[in-house]
Amino acid sequence: MIAGFASTPAPPYWMVSFTSARTAVDGDAYAEAAARMLELASIQPGFLGAESVRDSAGLGITLSYWTDEAAIAAWRAHPEHAAVRARGRADWYEHFEVRVAKVERAYSGRADA
Amino acid sequence: MIAGFASTPAPPYWMVSFTSARTAVDGDAYAEAAARMLELASIQPGFLGAESVRDSAGLGITLSYWTDEAAIAAWRAHPEHAAVRARGRADWYEHFEVRVAKVERAYSGRADA
């Protein structure tokens, strides 16, 4: 595995994209919550991996990968995740877009070639 | 529209994710090619928008949105795009992962609420 990349299986599987613009509010609490959510997501049934980038302007994209839609729904319903999402909506994000998609094809290049 | 976000229609539509780690090679030529590719993609039939983030460590995620798989295939076959992909593979990326997915659900939060 290469740093920053998820090791996903052959498709089909599912992907959730989260594109977000951060507010300037409470950077430490946000960073802590983000790390905790990744840690918690990674032990959920059906979790396959995640990739996440945020630039210096505060725009970020996180991709998480899941075996199926039921795993995504279960993670969405997780009480701690739901509580953190509510705080994110109230305090941490100017705007966000979530998309749930079925990965049909995938390929990679270079370092594992 | 909020800066950095694509204005996509109601699903279903298609998404291509491109997660990449940059080399240190030729930053100016890369930036120029990346801008040109976005400009060229945006005038292709079926293009719906794109979102792109790269962090200070060189890890990036670009999401592009398309009406259907045929539009993605046509863009992939575009000669100028194919030539730039070859250069990217040779010079600009340590590693990349491409995923082609059908967006089934989408929702947004905050600034447009």
Side-chain angles (χ1 to χ4, degrees), chain A residues 6-9 12-14 41-42 44-50 64-68:
Chain A
S7 288
T8 41
Y13 54 88
W14 287 72
S42 71
Q44 302 307 304
F47 178 84
L48 296 173
S64 64
Y65 306 104
W66 302 87
T67 51
D68 52 46

Side-chain angles (χ1 to χ4, degrees), chain A residues 2-17:
Chain A
I2 302 120
F5 290 89
S7 288
T8 41
Y13 54 88
W14 287 72
M15 166 163 73
V16 179
S17 71

Side-chain angles (χ1 to χ4, degrees), chain A residues 8 40 77 84:
Chain A
T8 41
L40 192 60
V84 167

Side-chain angles (χ1 to χ4, degrees), chain A residues 42-85:
Chain A
S42 71
I43 58 173
Q44 302 307 304
F47 178 84
L48 296 173
E51 296 164 345
S52 191
V53 174
R54 188 169 300 281
D55 70 17
S56 55
L59 189 69
I61 297 175
T62 296
L63 303 176
S64 64
Y65 306 104
W66 302 87
T67 51
D68 52 46
E69 286 192 276
I72 294 169
W75 169 234
R76 187 170 165 76
H78 189 292
E80 189 176 339
H81 184 205
V84 167
R85 280 206 314 281

Side-chain angles (χ1 to χ4, degrees), chain A residues 8 13 19 51 65 69 76 89 93-96 98-102 104-107 109-111, chain B residues 8 13 19 51 65 69 76 89 93-102 104-107 109-111:
Chain A
T8 41
Y13 54 88
T19 304
E51 296 164 345
Y65 306 104
E69 286 192 276
R76 187 170 165 76
R89 196 179 277 267
Y93 296 117
E94 294 286 358
H95 185 77
F96 62 82
V98 178
R99 296 173 176 97
V100 180
K102 185 179 184 183
E104 300 283 3
R105 294 191 302 285
Y107 49 98
R110 296 277 296 179
Chain B
T8 42
Y13 54 89
T19 304
E51 295 163 344
Y65 306 104
E69 285 191 276
R76 187 169 165 77
R89 195 179 277 268
Y93 296 116
E94 293 287 358
H95 185 78
F96 62 83
E97 300 282 341
V98 177
R99 296 173 176 97
V100 179
K102 185 178 185 183
E104 300 282 3
R105 294 191 303 285
Y107 49 97
R110 296 277 296 179

